[in-house]
Amino acid sequence: MNFKHLLVVASVLIFTSCKQENHLYRIEGKQIQITDSLQANSDVEAFIKPYREHVNKNLDSVLAYSVDTYSKNDGEYNTAVGNFMADAIYEQANPVFKKRTGKDIDFVLLNHGGIRSILSKGNVTARTAYGLMPFENSMVVVDLKGAQVKELLEYLAKAKRAHPISKLKLAIDTDFNVASASLHDSPIDFDKNYFVLTNDYLYNGGDHMDFFKTNDSLYDLDYKIRNALIDYFKKVDTINPVIDDRFIQLKN
């Protein structure tokens, strides 16, 4: 081995012996409170300002007028705001469904907990729709067997909540059993299938609505509930929903 080779080997040995291995043994962090005391970054603020102004202009443009303030707690088995939402999405969704299938939606079922704000008296805007429905829930139509429709009705009877419905008329007795259920003044036929409009959250078992899992087919309308509300606001002048007799409890 010549001197040159010796020098190379010695250099490799020295480098290898000096190499250190590092191991992660601890991660530390601390909580930073986000408060008004934090200084805004002027460059970031300047960049997002035109976008914020554009979004706020769209959200706050007046679309309709609400004659009163409506809350989901105003009724026992149906509420004005719940009736409004169920009726509005039926009106927006049925033409879409009929154009695609040639058939009509039979009735609507939403969930009481999905209404996330009041509908305030005064101007109605797109921001109103975001308040009522802040989630990205989309509308779906389920081809539901009669047996599952029966489960749906029994669910509503036992739930004791004002889950919004439209086109369906339901009466329960004092023991919370289904006394009558009809569509267009005709009793529901449990040997038939019905097209039920709901949202993807409930279809997937939200609020324990497991009856949607057994169905013949599903139609995804690719239409968000919030967008349907905004479209409805745009075509009406005045919002004036009422509590009615679509879901009641019979008295002795």
Side-chain angles (χ1 to χ4, degrees):
M1 180 179 294
N2 59 34
F3 179 78
K4 183 178 179 182
H5 288 157
L6 219 83
L7 187 58
V8 170
V9 172
S11 299
V12 170
L13 290 174
I14 292 170
F15 176 78
T16 304
S17 64
C18 293
K19 186 178 180 181
Q20 296 180 350
E21 292 187 6
N22 296 319
H23 299 280
L24 180 66
Y25 68 96
R26 184 172 63 192
I27 298 176
E28 294 182 346
K30 63 179 180 178
Q31 187 179 55
I32 300 176
Q33 296 290 336
I34 300 177
T35 67
D36 293 339
S37 64
L38 294 177
Q39 295 296 317
N41 185 299
S42 58
D43 291 334
V44 173
E45 284 295 311
F47 178 79
I48 66 174
K49 181 181 178 182
Y51 299 99
R52 180 191 294 119
E53 291 175 347
H54 177 73
V55 169
N56 285 334
K57 181 179 179 182
N58 287 337
L59 287 177
D60 295 327
S61 297
V62 177
L63 305 177
Y65 182 84
S66 176
V67 301
D68 206 345
T69 296
Y70 305 97
S71 166
K72 68 179 183 180
N73 300 316
D74 289 344
E76 189 173 7
Y77 291 101
N78 73 90
T79 66
V81 67
N83 295 345
F84 155 73
M85 288 184 65
D87 291 346
I89 70 164
Y90 177 88
E91 184 165 331
Q92 294 305 120
N94 194 57
V96 176
F97 183 69
K98 190 160 189 174
K99 185 176 181 180
R100 295 182 187 179
T101 66
K103 300 173 182 177
D104 288 305
I105 296 167
D106 290 302
F107 66 94
V108 177
L109 172 61
L110 298 176
N111 59 317
H112 181 264
I115 306 172
R116 305 303 288 186
S117 74
I118 61 173
L119 175 59
S120 298
K121 180 178 180 178
N123 291 334
V124 173
T125 65
R127 195 182 296 276
T128 305
Y130 274 83
L132 288 167
M133 177 50 63
F135 310 115
E136 297 298 309
N137 293 141
S138 293
M139 294 185 289
V140 297
V141 178
V142 187
D143 185 2
L144 209 59
K145 298 179 175 68
Q148 278 64 57
V149 172
K150 185 177 181 181
E151 288 184 31
L152 182 156
L153 298 174
E154 290 171 348
Y155 173 95
L156 291 175
K158 302 298 183 185
K160 305 175 186 178
R161 301 194 77 184
H163 291 302
I165 59 175
S166 182
K167 307 305 175 184
L168 170 67
K169 196 167 183 178
L170 176 64
I172 59 177
D173 62 25
T174 54
D175 294 321
F176 303 99
N177 297 308
V178 175
S180 65
S182 61
L183 294 169
H184 310 295
D185 297 322
S186 297
I188 288 184
D189 183 352
F190 297 117
D191 291 324
K192 291 176 53 179
N193 281 29
Y194 292 92
F195 292 111
V196 183
L197 174 64
T198 188
N199 63 55
D200 51 356
Y201 167 73
L202 298 181
Y203 171 75
N204 288 310
D207 274 11
H208 305 291
M209 295 192 184
D210 299 327
F211 42 79
F212 283 124
K213 291 181 180 179
T214 307
N215 61 82
D216 279 354
S217 55
L218 173 72
Y219 303 84
D220 187 346
L221 300 187
D222 193 25
Y223 195 180
K224 295 186 187 303
I225 288 180
R226 182 197 307 122
N227 293 346
L229 293 177
I230 292 172
D231 291 341
Y232 183 81
F233 289 151
K234 287 178 179 179
K235 72 179 189 181
V236 300
D237 177 74
T238 304
I239 309 296
N240 187 20
V242 297
I243 297 173
D244 55 27
D245 63 349
R246 69 183 68 189
F247 186 7
I248 61 172
Q249 184 176 38
L250 302 174
K251 305 301 180 182
N252 287 333

